[in-house]
Amino acid sequence: MLCPCGSNEKYESCCDPYHNGAAVAPNAEKLMRSRYSAFAMKNMNYIIKTTDPVDLVKFDRTANERWMLESEFLKLEILQSSENENQGTVEFQATFKHMGKVQTHHEVSAFRKINGNWFYRISQ
Ligand SMILES: [Zn+2]
């Protein structure tokens, strides 16, 4: 199957190695893509694993899990991404269907790298 992250590559050669732990995402954009495909595949453990540990206190697993299970993930568009050594920024637009209603979510996300692993920062 094609990877849900929109890369036009097969899942097996795209986000699967990150999901199954065979490899780590080499940059912020790939991490963002793999998080989106994890949402699409209802893989909450990967979302937790790739959220910055210091931000996890702000993460409501139950609410996120419910939203994830109720949603159908239609499309991810990466609008812009940049990074320097240990900090990254990815601007994206995600299209999903929640409770029968198509919605788009636009976000500029921050990422940071700790010991070779990229993590998503929760901003609010
Ligand atoms: Zn992918």
Side-chain angles (χ1 to χ4, degrees), residues 20-80:
N20 70 27
V24 296
N27 55 48
E29 181 179 331
K30 285 255 167 66
L31 185 81
M32 178 60 226
R33 287 183 174 281
S34 67
R35 284 174 55 91
Y36 179 86
S37 53
F39 270 114
M41 300 177 82
K42 321 293 186 196
N43 181 350
M44 183 50 75
N45 286 338
Y46 187 76
I47 299 301
I48 304 266
K49 192 181 145 192
T50 56
T51 298
D52 195 311
V54 302
D55 292 334
L56 272 180
V57 286
K58 297 184 237 173
F59 186 80
D60 184 338
R61 179 175 183 142
T62 308
N64 272 279
E65 214 144 28
R66 191 185 328 122
W67 174 79
M68 180 175 77
L69 293 173
E70 288 169 353
S71 301
E72 194 185 328
F73 295 83
L74 305 174
K75 188 161 77 159
L76 173 69
E77 291 159 278
I78 303 289
L79 304 176
Q80 203 180 308

Side-chain angles (χ1 to χ4, degrees), residues 57-116:
V57 286
K58 297 184 237 173
F59 186 80
D60 184 338
R61 179 175 183 142
T62 308
N64 272 279
E65 214 144 28
R66 191 185 328 122
W67 174 79
M68 180 175 77
L69 293 173
E70 288 169 353
S71 301
E72 194 185 328
F73 295 83
L74 305 174
K75 188 161 77 159
L76 173 69
E77 291 159 278
I78 303 289
L79 304 176
Q80 203 180 308
S81 67
S82 65
E83 62 186 75
N84 59 35
E85 214 172 323
N86 295 312
Q87 310 281 337
T89 305
V90 179
E91 181 179 8
F92 68 93
Q93 188 162 286
T95 307
F96 59 94
K97 198 184 207 176
H98 182 249
M99 313 290 269
K101 198 172 156 221
V102 175
Q103 297 177 40
T104 54
H105 172 75
H106 175 253
E107 185 176 318
V108 180
S109 302
F111 295 81
R112 74 169 169 149
K113 190 160 80 171
I114 309 166
N115 298 327

